[in-house]
Each structure stands twice: as C-alpha cells, then as structure tokens.
C-alpha cells in the first residue's frame, strides 16, 4: 500500500521553501515584477536553485544532482504555486531536466542540476503529447525555424530544440531570437523562439525525451495547481472571517459556508490526486494512468478555487492591487498547459480501454 502522506523530510523541505518565499516573494513584489520588463526573479531563483540545491532534486547524485524523487519536487512546486513565484522551476528543474535525463548529455544535465544554468524545452506550453511536436529544420548543420508558446524562454541560458531529423539539440540562448508574446499568466511569460542558422549540439532523440518530459510536467503541474487552489481557499476563508456585513462576519452566512465546504472537499481530493501522481512518477508504477487522472481533475479545481476567491473577496478582489488575479491567471494558464483536462480524460479512456461507442 502506497503511503501518500508527507514524510518528515518532505514537511521539513516545505517549511524551508515556505520560509524563503515568505521573506523574499511577497505578493506585492510579484505584482511589481509583472509590471516591469523583468518578470523573473533571478535572485529568488539563485536562492532556490543554487543555495538550497533544489534544481537538482530529480537528478541522481552520480550525475551531479540531489538524488531525491518527484515527491520532493512536488512539495517544492506546491509552495511555488502558493506564492505564484516567478521562477523557472517547472520549466528548467523539471521539464528540461527530465528531457536531458532521457539523453546522454551528462555535462549539460549537471549544469542544470547546479542551478547555474537555466534550461527550457522548446515545446509549446500547450503541448500535451509527444506526437505532433513542432520542429525546426536542419540545414547544413544549422537550425532554422520558429517555435511559439515557449514558457520561460526569456530567462533560459540554453534551449532544447526538437528538429525534423528526430534529434533534440541544445542551443545557446544567445544564438536565437526570443520575442515576448502576450501571456495571460504574467508570472510565467511565453515567447516565440526564432532560429536562423543557429548552431546546436545533438543531445538525444526528440520522441523519448519529450515524452518523458511532458509526462513529468503534467504530473508535477498538479502539485503547482494544488498550491494555487490551497492558497485561494485559505485566503478566502481568512478574509470571510474578518469581513463583516450586517454586523456579523460574512463567513457566518450559511450559503457561503456551503460553497467553502464544497471547495474544501475538492482541494482535498486534488491533494490526493497530485500526491498519487508524484508518487507514481517516483516509483514508475501505473504512471500514465495516475498522471492522467491527476491532470483531468486538477485544472477544473484550481480554476474554480481561484474564481471563487475572486468572487468572495467582493470589490477588493476585482482590484489590480489584490494578488488574487495573479492566481486566477496562473490557474487558467495551467489549465491548458501540458494538455487540457479533456485531453487527459481522452488519454485515460484509451489507457483503460473505455472508448466512446
């Protein structure tokens, strides 16, 4: 029987990450960054990745990492989601790292594990399957083409680019043109990557690397969505205890109690699904099914939790200064990241042989 409860080590990791984020990633600071030309918090990334060693959690010790598991990475992502932290942890420490774990380039993997190099897989954030991934052309040993919807490309030092010869190429960021796109989620900006004769080094095959990366991304994204939803619920309960109407706390009204109770149950179920996905990724047991279940459930709950938070905060929730809109935008963007809930339900139906007539 798998134990999905948090271990003492995982709780200690959570406390350390939460303390750091409380001190260095307040909502007002995140909001200020989204209004600037540099939305990514490089100082926070250095603290998380280099000082705490969190960038290498998924990398074995013999390859330069911490030798932890997806369960620990999920705990980190829960806390990053709770703070909508503008750092490339999911894109570099999970997605790009998993792609390299399917290759044989130990040198680049070690650099990503150290946190000193930020990587990004040049596959659109909306992509949920390794089939049909957009590629660039290989001509005379150089890469040509354009890829859109690449998350955190603006802060990456190296891009892992799929090419039409079936190879995955490592390309230095200064060899490509990165054009910012208008992104709903201001804390995880997207960009178009344009390659015009860029030099690249083949690090592996696209199909197995992208398949492994997207599966881990979908499974661990559920942990981030859990953090977003849990923040929304916690902050809404806190606000409704303090806000008074007709000389009594708003949270005392029966209709609102019912809405919050229903939301609490959904968040509890989401926690179970996200924990199961992280455990399945770490053990390799029933991984495809468990990840599909988690993602089919996570997106609607995170969106509903943040929508409820926005409504139940009343007028103040509609202001730009209140951080709830950052969480709603993250939840909405996450709902189409690495495959929609509908796409994961279809995948689950195929895996369980429950095709529609």
């Amino acid at each position: 029987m798998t134990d999905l409860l948090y271990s003492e080590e995982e709780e200690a990791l959570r406390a350390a990450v939460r303390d750091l984020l409380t001190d260095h990633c307040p909502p007002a600071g995140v909001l200020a960054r989204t209004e600037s030309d540099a939305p990514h918090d490089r100082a926070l990334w250095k603290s998380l990745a280099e000082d705490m060693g969190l960038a290498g959690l998924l990398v074995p010790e013999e390859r330069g990492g911490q030798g932890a598991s997806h369960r620990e990475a999920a705990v980190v992502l829960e806390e990053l989601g709770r703070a909508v932290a503008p750092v490339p942890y999911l894109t570099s420490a999970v997605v790009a790292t998993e792609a390299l774990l399917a290759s044989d380039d130990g040198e680049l993997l070690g650099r990503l594990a150290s946190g000193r190099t930020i990587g990004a897989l040049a596959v659109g954030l909306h992509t949920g399957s390794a089939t049909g991934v957009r590629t660039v052309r290989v001509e005379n040993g150089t890469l040509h083409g354009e890829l859109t919807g690449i998350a955190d490309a603006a802060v990456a030092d190296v891009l892992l680019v799929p090419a039409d010869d079936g190879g995955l190429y490592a390309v230095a960021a200064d060899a490509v043109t990165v054009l910012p796109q208008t992104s709903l989620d201001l804390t995880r900006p997207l960009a178009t990557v344009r390659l015009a004769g860029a030099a690249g080094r083949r690090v592996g095959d696209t199909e197995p690397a992208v398949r492994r990366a997207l599966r881990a991304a979908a499974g661990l994204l559920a942990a981030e969505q859990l953090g977003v939803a849990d923040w929304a619920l916690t902050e809404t309960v806190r606000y409704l205890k303090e806000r008074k109407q007709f000389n009594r706390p708003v949270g005392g009204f029966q209709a609102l109690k019912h809405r919050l109770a229903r939301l609490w149950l959904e968040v509890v179920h989401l926690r179970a699904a996200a924990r199961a996905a992280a455990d399945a990724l770490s053990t390799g047991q029933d991984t495809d099914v468990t990840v599909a279940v988690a993602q089919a459930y996570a997106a609607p709950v995170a969106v509903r939790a943040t929508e409820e938070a926005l409504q139940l905060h009343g007028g103040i929730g509609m202001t730009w200064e209140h951080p709830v809109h950052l969480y709603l935008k993250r939840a909405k963007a996450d709902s189409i990241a690495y495959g929609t809930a509908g796409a994961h339900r279809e995948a689950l139906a195929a895996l369980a042989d429950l095709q529609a007539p």
Side-chain angles (χ1 to χ4, degrees), residues 110-179:
R111 282 162 47 199
L112 260 61
S114 72
R116 290 188 292 273
T117 296
I118 298 172
L121 180 65
V123 172
L125 184 65
H126 59 282
T127 306
S129 170
T131 58
V133 169
R134 290 189 61 183
T135 60
V136 298
R137 302 185 313 279
V138 179
E139 293 179 5
N140 302 319
T142 58
L143 304 174
H144 303 257
E146 186 174 280
L147 301 167
T148 60
I150 311 303
D152 294 332
V155 76
D157 302 304
V158 61
L159 295 156
L160 302 178
V161 181
D164 59 3
D165 65 350
L168 187 68
Y169 289 82
V171 180
D174 55 12
V176 305
T177 302
V178 177
L179 305 170

Side-chain angles (χ1 to χ4, degrees), residues 20-44:
L20 177 68
L21 293 172
T22 300
D23 292 340
H24 299 287
C25 191
V30 176
L31 188 58
R33 286 195 172 277
T34 64
E35 297 173 314
S36 72
D37 295 330
H40 293 96
D41 191 335
R42 288 181 176 270
L44 178 61

